[in-house]
Amino acid sequence: MRAPHQHGEFPFPVKYGYSTVVRRETDDRLCFALHPHQDAFNIDPKDLVELPTGLDPQRAILAANMETALNAIWDGGVLPAHRVCVVGAGTLGCLIGYLCARIPEVDVTLIDPQPNRREIAEQLGCTFSQTPPPATEFDIVFHCSATPEGLDTAFALARHEGRVIEVSWYGDREVGIGLGGGFHSKRLQLISSQVGTVAPSMRPSHTHRQRLEAALRLLRDPALDCLLARAIPFKQAAEALPEIFTGKQSGLCQPLSY
């Protein structure tokens, strides 16, 4: 899956990335760009989206994730009073839970085996569980764990004729899908959600750019800072990458100068 403005091919050498906040040279305005990560670049002005007033520039780096989460909500058709479950409490799963929890009378449960994600889930207004809650049936289940086991869990948690929204990205991996058990007897719906296309329900009213602009506005809540790790100066990125890849980096984002 190529990113916008990508150069090269995986594994290396490649210039990759799609979540960059920059200062526009012509007027010094902070903007978001779907561009590989670097400290300076030339880009068509139409590919820049100005940050809305009140949005912290570090929180704005979550824009691509929030756009994916927003599209998933549209694909899922979450309505007031729905019971919602999210399997996988990574950044995307947490953002989906956050959005759903702000719909009136929607109860959201985040499921993830890592206990350190409980505090984040609760800060975002969601109930947290390390294991699937017993005897619970959800109207809509979002699957974000990118594992076959997680998808099986999503099937098990959906109510009769419930919807399972597959948001995970598997790349070129072959994934077994458990279509036995209650999948047919419960008449479950399995719906693919992918950010490359605006959800059908919103396509008549929203372009890709309008969806991204909406995602940026949704990021103005400081509660979302719990999803940001410690900031790393750009020049130290190469030395810090091993720590990031092993998951040892911790702590909330510390401010940088802009």
Side-chain angles (χ1 to χ4, degrees), residues 111-132:
I111 299 176
D112 197 286
Q114 300 186 56
N116 62 345
R117 295 183 175 179
R118 176 183 299 276
E119 182 178 357
I120 294 175
E122 292 176 350
Q123 287 184 53
L124 299 179
C126 304
T127 300
F128 179 82
S129 179
Q130 285 183 252
T131 57

Side-chain angles (χ1 to χ4, degrees), residues 80-202:
H82 267 153
R83 292 168 296 176
V84 173
C85 180
V86 182
V87 180
T91 301
L92 180 56
C94 284
L95 287 172
I96 290 173
Y98 166 84
L99 292 177
C100 290
R102 276 140 188 85
I103 300 173
E105 293 298 314
V106 171
D107 291 322
V108 185
T109 298
L110 279 175
I111 299 176
D112 197 286
Q114 300 186 56
N116 62 345
R117 295 183 175 179
R118 176 183 299 276
E119 182 178 357
I120 294 175
E122 292 176 350
Q123 287 184 53
L124 299 179
C126 304
T127 300
F128 179 82
S129 179
Q130 285 183 252
T131 57
T136 303
E137 292 188 329
F138 295 92
D139 300 296
I140 301 172
V141 183
F142 293 92
H143 178 233
C144 307
S145 80
T147 66
E149 295 79 11
L151 185 55
D152 287 341
T153 297
F155 287 153
L157 291 171
R159 65 160 171 80
H160 182 78
E161 295 187 339
R163 295 195 290 275
V164 175
I165 315 301
E166 177 56 275
V167 197
S168 301
W169 176 251
Y170 298 95
D172 58 1
R173 281 186 293 154
E174 294 288 337
V175 179
I177 301 178
L179 299 183
F183 180 80
H184 285 290
S185 62
K186 292 199 294 181
R187 293 174 51 85
L188 298 180
Q189 300 177 49
L190 176 60
I191 300 171
S192 169
S193 181
Q194 207 276 334
V195 74
T197 302
V198 176
S201 62
M202 300 298 288

